């Protein structure tokens, strides 16, 4: 394929966790004729590992806040009036427990601003990243057409963004809903559990988990997520084969989730093995107490672990801590299943997972990546 035939690609939130891996995947595989990453954070402040330096180079990077109307022209303009072919919206607020206004502006506002601009400029494919936390939890894994009942603030505003984007005339929209994404340098979810385990290991204590081992906490490895995002955009651009709008809806929506049906039990047992620590689930009585007193339970745990974590860092002479912390977010501690059915992506797009199950080896790789960055005590 000649360079001129390759699509030009714009990634909003290009230095975020998924954005940087997507940029690297596109760069390493020479998939784009031109690549631009937009982020409000400077690369020097984004805790980038060395292997991202080329993909996230100054030549590809533009600092801008895409939620601001006045930044859109600069973000979308290309030399000689050319258009972007693919736009991936990997931006938005990823921290939990923020004020509603933060999500309104940084997630919902951002999505609608870049979506409207993409439509205006005739972008061939606009991929919006959303979350599996938008589904109403059900005994069977959620499919793309199932009922929505968002159960985190991030999900509430992502569900609104999905709905509003679908109404923008002329927007070539695809929505991708994600579970817990893990992999090297991850700083959320799996990272929290690993930091907690490291603290319990140092204290020689048992690691206690709320709820039950059967609580579903579905996962996808970052490498599969980036491959899936590219696969979906190419599929859309090449005519959306196998898509039946009558039964599936006008806007293609895909769950990206591995086949491992990851539960809390899966994670607890892998982490127990990696750290050589004992673990147990709190059972009904304590879990019911926690449900009613969530704030104080979480505060107690955070009080118990933050001190020892700081000591571990100082013993390891880690003066510039990275993005890791054992601090637990109340929103993430709900006893709500994150359970998704990923079969549509396989049957419609023909996508296959390279890392279909979370394993001890893959979790060990995550810890190794932290050590390489000198984040890990």
């Amino acid at each position: 394929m000649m360079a001129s035939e390759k699509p030009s690609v714009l990634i909003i939130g290009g230095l975020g966790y998924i954005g940087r891996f997507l940029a690297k995947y596109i760069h390493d595989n020479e998939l784009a004729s031109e690549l631009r990453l937009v982020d409000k954070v400077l690369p020097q402040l984004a805790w980038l590992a060395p292997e991202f330096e080329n993909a996230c180079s100054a030549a590809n990077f533009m600092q801008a806040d895409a939620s601001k109307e006045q930044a859109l022209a600069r973000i979308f303009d290309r030399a000689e009036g050319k258009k972007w072919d693919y736009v991936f919206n990997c931006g938005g607020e990823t921290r939990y427990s923020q004020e509603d206004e933060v999500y309104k502006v940084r997630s919902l506002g951002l999505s609608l601003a870049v979506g409207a601009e993409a439509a205006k400029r005739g972008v061939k494919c606009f991929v919006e990243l959303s979350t599996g936390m938008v589904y109403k939890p059900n005994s069977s894994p959620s499919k793309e057409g199932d009922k929505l009942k968002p159960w985190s603030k991030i999900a509430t505003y992502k569900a609104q963004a999905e709905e509003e984007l679908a109404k923008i005339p002329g927007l070539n929209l695809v929505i991708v809903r994600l579970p817990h994404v893990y992999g090297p340098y991850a700083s959320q979810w799996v990272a929290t559990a690993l930091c907690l385990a490291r603290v319990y290991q140092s204290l020689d204590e048992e690691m206690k988990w709320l709820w039950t081992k059967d609580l579903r906490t579905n996962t996808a490895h970052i490498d599969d997520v980036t491959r899936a995002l590219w696969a979906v955009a190419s599929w859309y651009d090449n005519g959306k084969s196998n898509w039946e709008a009558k039964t599936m809806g006008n806007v293609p929506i895909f769950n990206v989730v591995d086949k491992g049906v990851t539960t809390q039990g899966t994670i607890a047992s892998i982490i127990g093995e990696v750290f050589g620590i004992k673990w147990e689930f709190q059972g009904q009585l304590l879990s019911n107490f926690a449900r009613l007193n969530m704030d104080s339970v979480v505060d107690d745990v955070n009080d118990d672990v933050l001190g020892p974590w700081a000591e571990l860092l100082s013993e390891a002479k880690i003066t510039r801590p990275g993005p890791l912390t054992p601090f637990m977010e109340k929103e993430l501690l709900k006893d709500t299943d994150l359970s998704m059915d990923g079969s549509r992506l396989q049957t419609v797009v023909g996508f296959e997972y390279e890392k279909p199950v979370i394993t001890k080896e893959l979790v060990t790789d995550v810890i190794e990546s932290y050590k390489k960055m000198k984040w890990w005590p």
Side-chain angles (χ1 to χ4, degrees):
M1 195 193 248
M2 285 172 53
S4 60
E5 293 170 22
K6 292 179 182 178
S8 55
V9 180
L10 173 63
I11 304 177
I12 308 292
L15 295 184
Y17 185 63
I18 293 171
R20 69 182 64 178
F21 272 94
L22 179 60
K24 184 178 185 304
Y25 176 74
I26 291 168
H27 177 270
D28 291 355
N29 294 285
E30 300 179 356
L31 298 171
S33 57
E34 186 182 340
L35 176 63
R36 179 181 293 171
L37 319 179
V38 174
D39 208 295
K40 59 182 195 307
V41 174
L42 281 169
Q44 297 84 326
L45 303 173
W47 287 309
L48 285 175
E51 63 263 37
F52 294 98
E53 270 169 22
N54 292 337
C56 303
S57 67
N60 294 344
F61 177 74
M62 175 186 284
Q63 187 184 24
D65 182 347
S67 67
K68 302 256 189 293
E69 192 74 29
Q70 62 273 23
L72 292 171
R74 191 164 67 90
I75 289 168
F76 276 83
D77 284 349
R78 288 181 71 200
E80 297 153 36
K82 289 187 287 201
K83 297 177 187 169
W84 294 103
D85 294 317
Y86 301 171
V87 175
F88 293 91
N89 181 22
C90 302
E93 183 55 71
T94 53
R95 294 172 305 168
Y96 290 91
S97 315
Q98 306 295 307
E99 296 296 320
D100 284 275
E101 198 50 42
V102 172
Y103 299 109
K104 228 176 245 164
V105 173
R106 290 192 194 158
S107 291
L108 179 59
L110 170 85
S111 292
L112 300 185
V114 290
E117 192 70 22
K120 194 169 88 184
R121 300 203 181 215
V123 166
K124 286 183 188 169
C125 181
F126 180 87
V127 182
E128 171 76 2
L129 271 59
S130 188
T131 167
M133 292 180 191
V134 295
Y135 292 114
K136 182 175 196 278
N138 196 342
S139 54
S140 56
S142 301
K143 294 190 156 139
E144 288 84 351
D146 287 356
K147 267 206 176 73
L148 302 189
K149 190 186 175 192
W151 48 275
S152 72
K153 276 192 191 180
I154 288 178
T156 300
Y157 289 98
K158 273 298 178 189
Q160 278 182 39
E162 287 187 21
E163 196 184 329
E164 296 297 321
L165 285 169
K167 295 177 192 161
I168 296 177
L171 181 62
N172 295 312
L173 173 65
V174 181
I175 292 164
V176 169
R177 292 179 182 150
L178 298 168
H180 292 301
V181 179
Y182 74 98
Y185 317 113
S187 63
Q188 282 189 326
W189 189 67
V190 74
T192 310
L194 292 173
C195 294
L196 281 168
R198 179 69 187 92
V199 168
Y200 287 115
Q201 181 192 44
S202 75
L203 298 172
D204 199 17
E205 280 178 21
E206 187 171 64
M207 186 161 175
K208 293 186 169 53
W209 297 71
L210 278 176
W211 326 127
T212 70
K213 68 179 188 341
D214 302 316
L215 184 71
R216 286 165 292 178
T217 54
N218 285 185
T219 50
H221 191 281
I222 185 64
D223 292 347
D224 281 329
V225 171
T226 53
R227 289 175 52 246
L229 290 172
W230 187 260
V232 162
S234 311
W235 164 85
Y236 191 100
D237 189 19
N238 288 313
K240 299 192 283 196
S241 56
N242 307 322
W243 188 262
E244 293 166 20
K246 262 211 290 293
T247 55
M248 298 173 172
N250 289 329
V251 173
I253 302 177
F254 294 100
N255 288 338
V256 175
V257 56
D258 67 26
K259 296 166 157 186
V261 193
T262 309
T263 61
Q264 275 208 130
T266 318
I267 298 299
S269 90
I270 288 175
I271 286 179
E273 220 181 309
V274 169
F275 288 90
I277 55 175
K278 289 197 173 73
W279 49 273
E280 68 158 4
F281 284 86
Q282 292 284 30
Q284 208 60 45
L285 194 67
L286 276 165
S287 289
N288 283 341
F289 173 79
R291 193 175 287 119
L292 299 171
N293 303 280
M294 206 56 194
D295 287 9
S296 64
V297 168
V298 176
D299 290 343
D300 286 350
V301 174
N302 284 332
D303 286 346
D304 289 346
V305 297
L306 290 173
W309 175 253
E311 281 166 34
L312 284 170
L313 290 176
S314 97
E315 279 164 26
K317 305 210 176 359
I318 295 172
T319 46
R320 201 175 146 251
L324 304 182
T325 170
F327 182 84
M328 277 205 284
E329 291 290 357
K330 295 184 209 24
E331 275 195 295
L332 271 184
L333 275 177
K334 294 196 170 124
D335 58 334
T336 314
D337 284 308
L338 178 59
S339 171
M340 300 159 70
D341 179 322
S343 52
R344 174 184 281 182
L345 183 67
Q346 293 183 275
T347 52
V348 173
V349 179
F351 183 80
E352 290 298 334
Y353 288 84
E354 287 175 358
K355 298 179 170 77
V357 179
I358 189 168
T359 61
K360 182 185 171 187
E361 291 66 35
L362 290 170
V363 171
T364 306
D365 288 348
V366 177
I367 298 172
E368 288 307 313
S369 75
Y370 297 159
K371 288 180 178 169
K372 194 172 93 181
M373 295 296 282
K374 304 205 173 6
W375 293 345
W376 189 252

